[in-house]
């Protein structure tokens, strides 16, 4: 299946979870937040939350700002 | 000895935000520094206890071993104040705040800013009001960046914003406080902390804000874009303290003509 991650297309195996996506991005254990189709997916749900084809995923973190 | 007249001084209330008391009245941003090391040093030198951050996409090709801002400015040591910088609509600002709350383990303190246009970065107050309403309903504690309109400032307080943060001048302009009268009106009307956010260019600008009775000042560019940011962070710390002390001490009245400091009695010429 294909999902949009931070605006870019990404191929993932069907039924991949948010945790699997985060691992694929080499961000496991990092402080980040995930939103799917404009809804927050709490960190505690990452291991079981399955992605669907066409999902729009945002993975964000804190950077410098005023 | 002449009898000292009874004087009324401003009350020295500590800065309290969302139930926490702070020693420092300087809040600093973390943008525009050369690197994270400089950010960390400047923040430390400023003495700030509340530090703003932005929320952005992780880069897909990013080196995963690169240090993260929150490793340098740890939420264990600082109150992290996520902002909604870059948002031009209430909807985007609310989304950003929800992501920030998730990012910071449920902490619900946010700096709301909804911009109106690119050139001046002036706040869009209609969208700001709409976002504030939704965020407060959702349990967020909203510190709100706003125009220096005294009536809108009162409205934001009535809605439940926990701090009013009018601009002194456009973000990143370094022009200093352009409308002291409005800032003074906002301070007089407010029952929540008022912080000048944006516009400070140099130490005296921060002191002026504090002398007027502001509860604090939030700045980023004035430190980060100084030639020596670490030294300027120290200057700002001192400026904020000097301004606060001066406000509490109560300045002498302005006079049109001179008034000798040395007595004229006892002159020998």
């Amino acid at each position: 299946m294909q999902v949009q991650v931070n605006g870019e297309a990404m191929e993932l195996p069907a039924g991949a979870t948010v945790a699997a996506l985060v691992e694929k991005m080499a961000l496991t254990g990092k402080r980040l937040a995930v939103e799917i189709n404009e809804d927050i997916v709490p960190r505690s749900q990452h291991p079981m939350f399955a992605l669907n084809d066409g999902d729009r995923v945002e993975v964000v973190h804190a950077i410098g700002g005023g | 000895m002449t009898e000292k007249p009874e004087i009324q001084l401003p009350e020295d209330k500590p800065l309290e935000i969302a139930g926490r008391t702070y020693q420092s009245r300087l809040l600093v941003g973390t943008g525009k520094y050369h690197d994270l090391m400089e950010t960390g040093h400047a923040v430390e030198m400023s003495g700030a206890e509340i530090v703003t951050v932005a929320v952005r996409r992780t880069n897909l090709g990013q080196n995963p071993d690169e240090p993260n801002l929150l490793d340098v400015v740890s939420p264990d040591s600082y109150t992290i104040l996520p902002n909604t910088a870059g948002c031009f609509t209430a909807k985007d600002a609310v989304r950003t705040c929800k992501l920030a709350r998730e990012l910071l383990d449920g902490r619900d303190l946010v700096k709301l800013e909804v911009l109106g246009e690119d050139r001046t970065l002036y706040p869009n107050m209609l969208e700001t009001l709409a976002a504030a309403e939704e965020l407060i309903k959702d349990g967020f504690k909203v510190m709100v960046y706003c125009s220096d309109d005294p009536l809108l400032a009162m409205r934001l307080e009535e809605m439940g914003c926990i701090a009013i943060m009018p601009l002194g001048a456009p973000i990143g302009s370094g022009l200093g406080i352009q409308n002291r009268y409005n800032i003074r009106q906002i301070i007089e009307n407010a029952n929540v902390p008022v912080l000048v956010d944006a516009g400070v260019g140099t130490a005296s600008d921060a002191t002026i804000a504090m002398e007027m009775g502001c509860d604090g000042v939030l700045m980023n560019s004035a430190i980060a874009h100084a030639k020596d940011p670490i030294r300027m962070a120290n200057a700002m710390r001192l400026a904020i303290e000097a301004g606060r002390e001066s406000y509490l001490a109560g300045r002498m009245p302005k006079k049109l003509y001179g008034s000798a400091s040395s007595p004229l009695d006892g002159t020998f010429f």
Side-chain angles (χ1 to χ4, degrees):
Chain A
M1 64 175 180
Q2 194 181 76
V3 294
Q4 291 284 320
V5 181
N6 290 352
E8 290 181 33
M10 190 186 278
E11 283 295 334
L12 287 175
T17 62
V18 172
L21 169 65
V22 170
E23 193 181 343
K24 188 180 160 97
M25 294 171 79
L27 293 172
T28 303
K30 299 282 178 191
R31 188 184 276 274
L32 46 81
V34 176
E35 185 196 60
I36 297 179
N37 303 328
E38 303 194 9
D39 283 320
I40 300 287
V41 180
R43 212 168 304 163
S44 61
Q45 289 179 25
H46 290 188
M48 49 277 205
F49 198 102
L51 293 160
N52 292 305
D53 189 51
D55 276 349
R56 286 168 293 119
V57 186
E58 296 292 339
V59 182
V60 304
H61 64 161
I63 64 156
Chain B
M1 285 283 284
T2 50
E3 206 175 308
K4 256 189 159 179
E6 200 165 305
I7 42 172
Q8 279 219 318
L9 287 172
E11 196 189 343
D12 188 10
K13 287 183 296 186
L15 176 61
E16 195 184 311
I17 290 171
R20 240 191 97 179
T21 300
Y22 295 93
Q23 302 303 313
S24 171
R25 292 172 182 274
L26 173 57
L27 287 69
V28 296
T30 51
K32 299 179 173 176
Y33 287 98
H34 290 117
D35 52 40
L36 283 179
M37 204 170 169
E38 188 182 64
T39 312
H41 283 158
V43 170
E44 196 179 345
M45 188 57 98
S46 76
E49 296 165 287
I50 303 176
V51 176
T52 65
V53 302
V55 178
R56 291 292 180 269
R57 285 173 166 169
T58 56
N59 298 322
L60 292 181
Q62 193 181 342
N63 174 4
D65 297 324
E66 227 169 76
N68 184 284
L69 174 65
L70 295 183
D71 298 332
V72 177
V73 184
S74 161
D76 299 329
S77 312
Y78 296 95
T79 294
I80 304 297
L81 179 61
N83 68 26
T84 63
C87 291
F88 285 79
T89 64
K91 182 180 173 243
D92 287 346
V94 170
R95 257 179 96 187
T96 303
C97 289
K98 287 180 178 174
L99 280 164
R101 182 166 60 184
E102 165 67 11
L103 193 61
L104 294 166
D105 310 316
R107 293 182 184 90
D108 48 18
L109 185 68
V110 290
K111 170 184 157 176
L112 171 63
E113 70 177 270
V114 188
L115 303 180
E117 55 134 12
D118 282 324
R119 195 171 59 96
T120 59
L121 304 176
Y122 205 74
N124 179 331
M125 291 310 297
L126 295 178
E127 292 293 315
T128 301
L129 288 160
E133 189 168 13
E134 199 171 334
L135 289 169
I136 291 163
K137 214 186 291 169
D138 196 7
F140 283 97
K141 299 189 176 70
V142 178
M143 301 176 73
V144 59
Y145 169 66
C146 55
S147 63
D148 60 6
D149 181 318
L151 297 182
L152 283 178
M154 280 200 282
R155 178 80 196 105
L156 288 164
E157 180 180 337
E158 282 164 16
M159 288 171 69
C161 291
I162 63 153
I164 308 299
M165 306 204 291
L167 48 70
I171 295 169
S173 70
L175 289 171
I177 299 177
Q178 292 297 296
N179 196 337
R180 295 188 198 183
Y181 178 82
N182 277 21
I183 300 288
R184 190 179 296 278
Q185 291 299 315
I186 291 171
I187 295 167
E188 265 184 38
N189 296 336
N191 297 300
V192 295
V194 175
L195 300 96
V196 162
D197 178 2
V200 165
T202 189
S204 53
D205 297 333
T207 304
I208 286 167
M210 295 308 295
E211 282 177 342
M212 287 169 57
C214 278
D215 295 281
V217 176
L218 200 166
M219 66 178 77
N220 187 341
S221 307
I223 298 175
H225 276 182
K227 286 178 184 160
D228 181 346
I230 315 296
R231 191 151 204 158
M232 188 57 89
N234 191 40
M236 290 301 182
R237 180 178 65 78
L238 295 168
I240 295 283
E241 283 175 18
R244 178 67 182 174
E245 284 295 293
S246 176
Y247 166 70
L248 293 174
R251 63 152 298 150
M252 63 163 282
K254 288 185 183 177
K255 292 174 190 160
L256 196 52
Y257 300 106
S259 162
S261 296
S262 307
L264 292 174
D265 291 347
T267 47
F268 50 87
F269 38 77

